[in-house]
Amino acid sequence: MIELTAAQVAAATGGRLHADPDVTVTGAVIIDSRQAAPGALFVALPGERVDGHDFAARAVSAGATLVLAARELDGLPTVVVDDPQEALGELARYVLATVREGGDGWPKVVGVTGSVGKTTTKDLLGQLLTPEVSGEDAIIVPTGSFNNEIGLPLTVLRVTRDTRYLIAEMGADRIGNIAYLTRIAPPNVGVVLAVGVAHVGHFGSVEAIAKTKAEMVSGVVDGGSVVLNADDLRVAAMAGQVAPGTALRTFGTIPSADVRAEDISVDATGRARFTLRVAASVAPSAGQTADDGEQRADVALQLVGPHHVSNALAAATVALRLGVPVADVAQRLTEATARSPHRMAVTERPDGVTVIDDAYNANPDSMKAALRTLAVMAGRTRRSVAVLGEMRELGEGARAAHDEIGRLVVRLNIKQLVVVGDGAYHIHEGAMQEGSWGSETIFVPDLPAARSLLDESLEPGDVVLVKSSLGSGLWELGDHLSMAQTNKDNNK
């Protein structure tokens, strides 16, 4: 972060200063006292189980020079605010605006939202844009999914005067979330990937989800760009909300998309190849050009799952808008790798078992995509095993959604289904109802039972998918299965 005095922090957040106004924050902004280092600013966030105020003294003793808190803390340099979380957002907004004002509009912010694909698209964008800049802070790409009212400001606060690009993942579980995040970090390029049923339990309807994602369209800076998925009808409809003077670019597989994929094929490893086709009005430089001025290039993704074609197209559209040539976009997409854990992470174990760990998150759309990838990777010669947990925050439609997944498992001819936990039971029930399944579907109550079952039953050649919402905890099982053979060998 840029250096700020305590007086500047107080002014930016509307706080009351209980510290020397000239005390300077020279380090990172943190919410975990264990990360405290000299010059840090510690934000004391209240939580359900722990209160950050109880750890402020520890952060200061480790070198933090200032605390942002909801109350005065005896003997500690503090800026007191009504709501530390809201103040965190205001501080991030101030820092970004200050850097942009002094840097002729830099850094450029790319905001990415959607019911699925945000993190992968964000990671791809980092790999497409990094070669365009130089320097440690030139591009900021958050690790994992720092996409909410806390994670987004913390990401923004990493900005320095050397930053050229900030890739901001923006998630939502309620109407108004995206509008709030775009006020903190107004995007130069705003991307909407898809409208699905993730968090529908909070929103109440898919229409409300679409309304929230559309907040990205109105959140871009004047003269900015909006990038929309032409294959998603709800997203494509947002084109009508694009303001005059804002550029619109679309991506997808339909012929009218500005940036599209054709001749898509998927190999036995689940990786997709396609021809990237870019309309003449979009491409920033010459490449392999057709008679109509369209540019083309071949892409072979290393990411596992054909659904990543859409994420790759979204990232490509942004990179093209920011001036990266078509040939470079295609080459960098081909070289790009998975950067965030538990997202279609493939491990080839020494015993011949292939583990697909996609247990970071799950909703009906991503669950279906992962299951189809499992079926492709297993093919006709290997046994496919789906280990599935609960998809959370689906509201009244949760039972039907889980039942549908169970039925899809049968239709895809997945050979073994293991359903983990009561919240996912209706996946097991749906599979039982769809086909005359017996031992092909197994319900286990918890992670230890699943771990024991799989350790005993997995065989060389099996392809096993582990997927659930993060709160269901199957990521622990993904870690275990990925390391299982290594651990066995080490214990011999």
Side-chain angles (χ1 to χ4, degrees), residues 16 38 49 89 101-102 107 120 169 210 280 297 301 335 346 350-351 384 387 404 408 427-428 430 435 448 459 462 480:
R16 302 182 301 279
R49 289 173 291 184
E101 183 178 355
T120 298
E169 182 179 341
L301 295 178
E335 295 172 350
V346 177
D351 62 353
S384 50
V387 184
E404 182 183 10
L408 178 63
I427 297 177
H428 172 69
E459 302 172 353
D462 287 351
H480 170 77

PDB file of all heavy atoms in Angstrom, residues 16 38 49 89 101-102 107 120 169 210 280 297 301 335 346 350-351 384 387 404 408 427-428 430 435 448 459 462 480:
ATOM      1  N   ARG A  16     -12.159   8.890  14.264  1.00  0.00           N
ATOM      2  CA  ARG A  16     -11.645   9.768  15.318  1.00  0.00           C
ATOM      3  C   ARG A  16     -10.245   9.299  15.686  1.00  0.00           C
ATOM      4  O   ARG A  16     -10.030   8.122  16.003  1.00  0.00           O
ATOM      5  CB  ARG A  16     -12.569   9.730  16.539  1.00  0.00           C
ATOM      6  CG  ARG A  16     -13.997  10.134  16.206  1.00  0.00           C
ATOM      7  CD  ARG A  16     -14.900  10.137  17.428  1.00  0.00           C
ATOM      8  NE  ARG A  16     -14.980   8.843  18.096  1.00  0.00           N
ATOM      9  CZ  ARG A  16     -15.766   7.843  17.680  1.00  0.00           C
ATOM     10  NH1 ARG A  16     -16.505   7.991  16.570  1.00  0.00           N
ATOM     11  NH2 ARG A  16     -15.816   6.716  18.352  1.00  0.00           N
ATOM     12  N   PRO A  38       6.358  -4.809  10.894  1.00  0.00           N
ATOM     13  CA  PRO A  38       6.603  -3.380  11.076  1.00  0.00           C
ATOM     14  C   PRO A  38       5.913  -2.519  10.021  1.00  0.00           C
ATOM     15  O   PRO A  38       6.001  -2.800   8.828  1.00  0.00           O
ATOM     16  CB  PRO A  38       8.123  -3.279  10.975  1.00  0.00           C
ATOM     17  CG  PRO A  38       8.602  -4.606  11.489  1.00  0.00           C
ATOM     18  CD  PRO A  38       7.596  -5.598  10.980  1.00  0.00           C
ATOM     19  N   ARG A  49     -16.985 -15.727  16.033  1.00  0.00           N
ATOM     20  CA  ARG A  49     -16.301 -16.519  17.060  1.00  0.00           C
ATOM     21  C   ARG A  49     -15.179 -15.766  17.760  1.00  0.00           C
ATOM     22  O   ARG A  49     -14.899 -16.010  18.927  1.00  0.00           O
ATOM     23  CB  ARG A  49     -15.745 -17.808  16.432  1.00  0.00           C
ATOM     24  CG  ARG A  49     -16.828 -18.807  16.046  1.00  0.00           C
ATOM     25  CD  ARG A  49     -16.255 -19.987  15.289  1.00  0.00           C
ATOM     26  NE  ARG A  49     -15.780 -19.581  13.967  1.00  0.00           N
ATOM     27  CZ  ARG A  49     -15.303 -20.435  13.062  1.00  0.00           C
ATOM     28  NH1 ARG A  49     -15.206 -21.714  13.358  1.00  0.00           N
ATOM     29  NH2 ARG A  49     -14.910 -20.008  11.884  1.00  0.00           N
ATOM     30  N   GLY A  89     -13.438  -0.569   3.543  1.00  0.00           N
ATOM     31  CA  GLY A  89     -13.825  -0.276   2.169  1.00  0.00           C
ATOM     32  C   GLY A  89     -13.563   1.168   1.793  1.00  0.00           C
ATOM     33  O   GLY A  89     -13.088   1.465   0.685  1.00  0.00           O
ATOM     34  N   GLU A 101      -5.368   9.288  -9.360  1.00  0.00           N
ATOM     35  CA  GLU A 101      -5.270  10.729  -9.587  1.00  0.00           C
ATOM     36  C   GLU A 101      -3.834  11.140  -9.863  1.00  0.00           C
ATOM     37  O   GLU A 101      -3.564  11.993 -10.715  1.00  0.00           O
ATOM     38  CB  GLU A 101      -5.812  11.489  -8.376  1.00  0.00           C
ATOM     39  CG  GLU A 101      -5.813  13.001  -8.539  1.00  0.00           C
ATOM     40  CD  GLU A 101      -6.392  13.721  -7.346  1.00  0.00           C
ATOM     41  OE1 GLU A 101      -6.894  13.027  -6.421  1.00  0.00           O
ATOM     42  OE2 GLU A 101      -6.339  14.960  -7.318  1.00  0.00           O
ATOM     43  N   GLY A 102      -2.902  10.507  -9.177  1.00  0.00           N
ATOM     44  CA  GLY A 102      -1.496  10.852  -9.371  1.00  0.00           C
ATOM     45  C   GLY A 102      -0.823  10.070 -10.474  1.00  0.00           C
ATOM     46  O   GLY A 102       0.326  10.349 -10.826  1.00  0.00           O
ATOM     47  N   PRO A 107      -3.765   2.644 -11.729  1.00  0.00           N
ATOM     48  CA  PRO A 107      -3.891   1.394 -12.473  1.00  0.00           C
ATOM     49  C   PRO A 107      -5.268   1.225 -13.114  1.00  0.00           C
ATOM     50  O   PRO A 107      -6.259   1.787 -12.654  1.00  0.00           O
ATOM     51  CB  PRO A 107      -3.671   0.323 -11.400  1.00  0.00           C
ATOM     52  CG  PRO A 107      -4.222   0.950 -10.164  1.00  0.00           C
ATOM     53  CD  PRO A 107      -3.850   2.408 -10.266  1.00  0.00           C
ATOM     54  N   THR A 120     -11.236 -18.608 -11.933  1.00  0.00           N
ATOM     55  CA  THR A 120     -10.441 -19.088 -13.063  1.00  0.00           C
ATOM     56  C   THR A 120     -10.177 -17.968 -14.062  1.00  0.00           C
ATOM     57  O   THR A 120      -9.055 -17.800 -14.556  1.00  0.00           O
ATOM     58  CB  THR A 120     -11.159 -20.255 -13.758  1.00  0.00           C
ATOM     59  OG1 THR A 120     -11.294 -21.341 -12.831  1.00  0.00           O
ATOM     60  CG2 THR A 120     -10.374 -20.732 -14.963  1.00  0.00           C
ATOM     61  N   GLU A 169     -11.791  -9.662  -8.455  1.00  0.00           N
ATOM     62  CA  GLU A 169     -12.912 -10.606  -8.482  1.00  0.00           C
ATOM     63  C   GLU A 169     -13.997 -10.075  -7.556  1.00  0.00           C
ATOM     64  O   GLU A 169     -13.728  -9.715  -6.410  1.00  0.00           O
ATOM     65  CB  GLU A 169     -12.431 -11.984  -8.018  1.00  0.00           C
ATOM     66  CG  GLU A 169     -13.496 -13.056  -8.046  1.00  0.00           C
ATOM     67  CD  GLU A 169     -12.980 -14.412  -7.597  1.00  0.00           C
ATOM     68  OE1 GLU A 169     -11.746 -14.614  -7.617  1.00  0.00           O
ATOM     69  OE2 GLU A 169     -13.803 -15.254  -7.219  1.00  0.00           O
ATOM     70  N   ALA A 210     -29.557 -12.002 -11.511  1.00  0.00           N
ATOM     71  CA  ALA A 210     -29.231 -11.276 -12.743  1.00  0.00           C
ATOM     72  C   ALA A 210     -29.174  -9.773 -12.485  1.00  0.00           C
ATOM     73  O   ALA A 210     -28.282  -9.076 -12.998  1.00  0.00           O
ATOM     74  CB  ALA A 210     -30.267 -11.593 -13.820  1.00  0.00           C
ATOM     75  N   ALA A 280     -12.902  -8.168 -36.614  1.00  0.00           N
ATOM     76  CA  ALA A 280     -11.958  -7.141 -37.049  1.00  0.00           C
ATOM     77  C   ALA A 280     -12.040  -5.885 -36.196  1.00  0.00           C
ATOM     78  O   ALA A 280     -11.033  -5.206 -35.982  1.00  0.00           O
ATOM     79  CB  ALA A 280     -12.221  -6.798 -38.516  1.00  0.00           C
ATOM     80  N   ALA A 297      -6.614 -17.760 -34.303  1.00  0.00           N
ATOM     81  CA  ALA A 297      -5.441 -18.397 -33.705  1.00  0.00           C
ATOM     82  C   ALA A 297      -5.886 -19.649 -32.973  1.00  0.00           C
ATOM     83  O   ALA A 297      -7.012 -19.720 -32.472  1.00  0.00           O
ATOM     84  CB  ALA A 297      -4.737 -17.442 -32.744  1.00  0.00           C
ATOM     85  N   LEU A 301      -5.912 -25.485 -24.305  1.00  0.00           N
ATOM     86  CA  LEU A 301      -5.899 -25.183 -22.875  1.00  0.00           C
ATOM     87  C   LEU A 301      -5.263 -26.295 -22.061  1.00  0.00           C
ATOM     88  O   LEU A 301      -5.450 -27.481 -22.347  1.00  0.00           O
ATOM     89  CB  LEU A 301      -7.334 -24.949 -22.376  1.00  0.00           C
ATOM     90  CG  LEU A 301      -8.086 -23.743 -22.928  1.00  0.00           C
ATOM     91  CD1 LEU A 301      -9.500 -23.703 -22.353  1.00  0.00           C
ATOM     92  CD2 LEU A 301      -7.349 -22.451 -22.616  1.00  0.00           C
ATOM     93  N   GLU A 335      -0.424 -21.585 -22.683  1.00  0.00           N
ATOM     94  CA  GLU A 335       0.579 -21.819 -21.646  1.00  0.00           C
ATOM     95  C   GLU A 335       0.011 -21.685 -20.232  1.00  0.00           C
ATOM     96  O   GLU A 335       0.672 -22.079 -19.265  1.00  0.00           O
ATOM     97  CB  GLU A 335       1.720 -20.819 -21.813  1.00  0.00           C
ATOM     98  CG  GLU A 335       2.500 -20.992 -23.115  1.00  0.00           C
ATOM     99  CD  GLU A 335       3.489 -19.870 -23.355  1.00  0.00           C
ATOM    100  OE1 GLU A 335       3.433 -18.858 -22.607  1.00  0.00           O
ATOM    101  OE2 GLU A 335       4.313 -19.998 -24.291  1.00  0.00           O
ATOM    102  N   VAL A 346      -5.878 -31.540 -10.940  1.00  0.00           N
ATOM    103  CA  VAL A 346      -5.719 -32.956 -11.287  1.00  0.00           C
ATOM    104  C   VAL A 346      -4.400 -33.479 -10.750  1.00  0.00           C
ATOM    105  O   VAL A 346      -3.341 -32.891 -10.984  1.00  0.00           O
ATOM    106  CB  VAL A 346      -5.798 -33.159 -12.808  1.00  0.00           C
ATOM    107  CG1 VAL A 346      -5.560 -34.623 -13.166  1.00  0.00           C
ATOM    108  CG2 VAL A 346      -7.145 -32.698 -13.338  1.00  0.00           C
ATOM    109  N   PRO A 350       0.871 -42.105  -8.005  1.00  0.00           N
ATOM    110  CA  PRO A 350       1.767 -43.182  -8.448  1.00  0.00           C
ATOM    111  C   PRO A 350       1.072 -44.532  -8.591  1.00  0.00           C
ATOM    112  O   PRO A 350       1.539 -45.384  -9.349  1.00  0.00           O
ATOM    113  CB  PRO A 350       2.830 -43.231  -7.340  1.00  0.00           C
ATOM    114  CG  PRO A 350       2.821 -41.859  -6.752  1.00  0.00           C
ATOM    115  CD  PRO A 350       1.402 -41.412  -6.814  1.00  0.00           C
ATOM    116  N   ASP A 351      -0.040 -44.734  -7.876  1.00  0.00           N
ATOM    117  CA  ASP A 351      -0.732 -46.022  -7.962  1.00  0.00           C
ATOM    118  C   ASP A 351      -1.708 -46.086  -9.130  1.00  0.00           C
ATOM    119  O   ASP A 351      -2.448 -47.063  -9.276  1.00  0.00           O
ATOM    120  CB  ASP A 351      -1.477 -46.316  -6.655  1.00  0.00           C
ATOM    121  CG  ASP A 351      -2.559 -45.289  -6.337  1.00  0.00           C
ATOM    122  OD1 ASP A 351      -2.648 -44.269  -7.061  1.00  0.00           O
ATOM    123  OD2 ASP A 351      -3.316 -45.498  -5.365  1.00  0.00           O
ATOM    124  N   SER A 384     -15.102 -44.436 -13.306  1.00  0.00           N
ATOM    125  CA  SER A 384     -15.351 -43.074 -12.843  1.00  0.00           C
ATOM    126  C   SER A 384     -16.000 -43.123 -11.465  1.00  0.00           C
ATOM    127  O   SER A 384     -16.940 -43.886 -11.221  1.00  0.00           O
ATOM    128  CB  SER A 384     -16.254 -42.338 -13.825  1.00  0.00           C
ATOM    129  OG  SER A 384     -17.405 -43.107 -14.132  1.00  0.00           O
ATOM    130  N   VAL A 387     -17.382 -38.262  -5.894  1.00  0.00           N
ATOM    131  CA  VAL A 387     -17.533 -38.082  -4.450  1.00  0.00           C
ATOM    132  C   VAL A 387     -18.098 -36.675  -4.252  1.00  0.00           C
ATOM    133  O   VAL A 387     -17.396 -35.683  -4.449  1.00  0.00           O
ATOM    134  CB  VAL A 387     -16.184 -38.236  -3.718  1.00  0.00           C
ATOM    135  CG1 VAL A 387     -16.381 -38.149  -2.212  1.00  0.00           C
ATOM    136  CG2 VAL A 387     -15.510 -39.550  -4.112  1.00  0.00           C
ATOM    137  N   GLU A 404     -31.504 -33.573  -8.856  1.00  0.00           N
ATOM    138  CA  GLU A 404     -31.159 -33.487 -10.267  1.00  0.00           C
ATOM    139  C   GLU A 404     -29.723 -33.930 -10.513  1.00  0.00           C
ATOM    140  O   GLU A 404     -29.425 -34.595 -11.515  1.00  0.00           O
ATOM    141  CB  GLU A 404     -31.368 -32.056 -10.760  1.00  0.00           C
ATOM    142  CG  GLU A 404     -31.074 -31.862 -12.238  1.00  0.00           C
ATOM    143  CD  GLU A 404     -31.222 -30.422 -12.688  1.00  0.00           C
ATOM    144  OE1 GLU A 404     -31.364 -29.533 -11.820  1.00  0.00           O
ATOM    145  OE2 GLU A 404     -31.172 -30.181 -13.911  1.00  0.00           O
ATOM    146  N   LEU A 408     -28.336 -36.949 -12.897  1.00  0.00           N
ATOM    147  CA  LEU A 408     -27.346 -36.734 -13.942  1.00  0.00           C
ATOM    148  C   LEU A 408     -26.189 -37.726 -13.818  1.00  0.00           C
ATOM    149  O   LEU A 408     -25.661 -38.193 -14.835  1.00  0.00           O
ATOM    150  CB  LEU A 408     -26.814 -35.299 -13.865  1.00  0.00           C
ATOM    151  CG  LEU A 408     -25.726 -34.935 -14.883  1.00  0.00           C
ATOM    152  CD1 LEU A 408     -26.260 -35.038 -16.316  1.00  0.00           C
ATOM    153  CD2 LEU A 408     -25.176 -33.535 -14.611  1.00  0.00           C
ATOM    154  N   ILE A 427     -28.767 -36.159  -3.373  1.00  0.00           N
ATOM    155  CA  ILE A 427     -28.023 -36.629  -4.549  1.00  0.00           C
ATOM    156  C   ILE A 427     -28.116 -38.145  -4.616  1.00  0.00           C
ATOM    157  O   ILE A 427     -28.401 -38.728  -5.674  1.00  0.00           O
ATOM    158  CB  ILE A 427     -26.548 -36.185  -4.483  1.00  0.00           C
ATOM    159  CG1 ILE A 427     -26.440 -34.658  -4.506  1.00  0.00           C
ATOM    160  CG2 ILE A 427     -25.751 -36.792  -5.645  1.00  0.00           C
ATOM    161  CD1 ILE A 427     -25.015 -34.140  -4.365  1.00  0.00           C
ATOM    162  N   HIS A 428     -27.883 -38.779  -3.494  1.00  0.00           N
ATOM    163  CA  HIS A 428     -28.003 -40.240  -3.393  1.00  0.00           C
ATOM    164  C   HIS A 428     -29.427 -40.681  -3.740  1.00  0.00           C
ATOM    165  O   HIS A 428     -29.636 -41.633  -4.514  1.00  0.00           O
ATOM    166  CB  HIS A 428     -27.628 -40.661  -1.973  1.00  0.00           C
ATOM    167  CG  HIS A 428     -27.873 -42.100  -1.644  1.00  0.00           C
ATOM    168  ND1 HIS A 428     -27.142 -43.129  -2.188  1.00  0.00           N
ATOM    169  CD2 HIS A 428     -28.787 -42.681  -0.803  1.00  0.00           C
ATOM    170  CE1 HIS A 428     -27.581 -44.283  -1.699  1.00  0.00           C
ATOM    171  NE2 HIS A 428     -28.578 -44.035  -0.863  1.00  0.00           N
ATOM    172  N   GLY A 430     -31.679 -39.093  -5.569  1.00  0.00           N
ATOM    173  CA  GLY A 430     -31.949 -38.895  -6.982  1.00  0.00           C
ATOM    174  C   GLY A 430     -31.362 -39.993  -7.847  1.00  0.00           C
ATOM    175  O   GLY A 430     -31.996 -40.454  -8.804  1.00  0.00           O
ATOM    176  N   GLY A 435     -32.199 -44.627 -11.646  1.00  0.00           N
ATOM    177  CA  GLY A 435     -31.812 -45.914 -12.201  1.00  0.00           C
ATOM    178  C   GLY A 435     -31.956 -47.023 -11.175  1.00  0.00           C
ATOM    179  O   GLY A 435     -32.216 -46.793 -10.001  1.00  0.00           O
ATOM    180  N   PRO A 448     -14.730 -38.666   7.731  1.00  0.00           N
ATOM    181  CA  PRO A 448     -13.960 -39.860   8.103  1.00  0.00           C
ATOM    182  C   PRO A 448     -14.489 -41.132   7.443  1.00  0.00           C
ATOM    183  O   PRO A 448     -13.699 -41.981   7.005  1.00  0.00           O
ATOM    184  CB  PRO A 448     -14.116 -39.905   9.626  1.00  0.00           C
ATOM    185  CG  PRO A 448     -14.325 -38.481  10.023  1.00  0.00           C
ATOM    186  CD  PRO A 448     -15.149 -37.892   8.920  1.00  0.00           C
ATOM    187  N   GLU A 459      -9.081 -48.121  -6.869  1.00  0.00           N
ATOM    188  CA  GLU A 459      -8.207 -49.082  -7.532  1.00  0.00           C
ATOM    189  C   GLU A 459      -7.388 -48.375  -8.611  1.00  0.00           C
ATOM    190  O   GLU A 459      -7.782 -47.309  -9.110  1.00  0.00           O
ATOM    191  CB  GLU A 459      -9.042 -50.194  -8.180  1.00  0.00           C
ATOM    192  CG  GLU A 459      -9.925 -50.944  -7.201  1.00  0.00           C
ATOM    193  CD  GLU A 459     -10.868 -51.907  -7.911  1.00  0.00           C
ATOM    194  OE1 GLU A 459     -10.898 -51.866  -9.169  1.00  0.00           O
ATOM    195  OE2 GLU A 459     -11.567 -52.672  -7.224  1.00  0.00           O
ATOM    196  N   ASP A 462      -8.646 -45.803 -11.588  1.00  0.00           N
ATOM    197  CA  ASP A 462      -9.847 -45.041 -11.268  1.00  0.00           C
ATOM    198  C   ASP A 462      -9.632 -43.543 -11.500  1.00  0.00           C
ATOM    199  O   ASP A 462      -8.530 -43.019 -11.283  1.00  0.00           O
ATOM    200  CB  ASP A 462     -10.256 -45.247  -9.807  1.00  0.00           C
ATOM    201  CG  ASP A 462     -10.860 -46.616  -9.549  1.00  0.00           C
ATOM    202  OD1 ASP A 462     -11.112 -47.341 -10.527  1.00  0.00           O
ATOM    203  OD2 ASP A 462     -11.071 -46.951  -8.366  1.00  0.00           O
ATOM    204  N   HIS A 480      -6.483 -35.154   1.016  1.00  0.00           N
ATOM    205  CA  HIS A 480      -6.119 -36.497   1.472  1.00  0.00           C
ATOM    206  C   HIS A 480      -5.932 -37.455   0.295  1.00  0.00           C
ATOM    207  O   HIS A 480      -4.932 -38.182   0.226  1.00  0.00           O
ATOM    208  CB  HIS A 480      -7.187 -37.039   2.416  1.00  0.00           C
ATOM    209  CG  HIS A 480      -7.012 -38.488   2.752  1.00  0.00           C
ATOM    210  ND1 HIS A 480      -6.066 -38.937   3.656  1.00  0.00           N
ATOM    211  CD2 HIS A 480      -7.648 -39.598   2.279  1.00  0.00           C
ATOM    212  CE1 HIS A 480      -6.127 -40.257   3.735  1.00  0.00           C
ATOM    213  NE2 HIS A 480      -7.077 -40.687   2.914  1.00  0.00           N
TER     214      HIS A 480
END
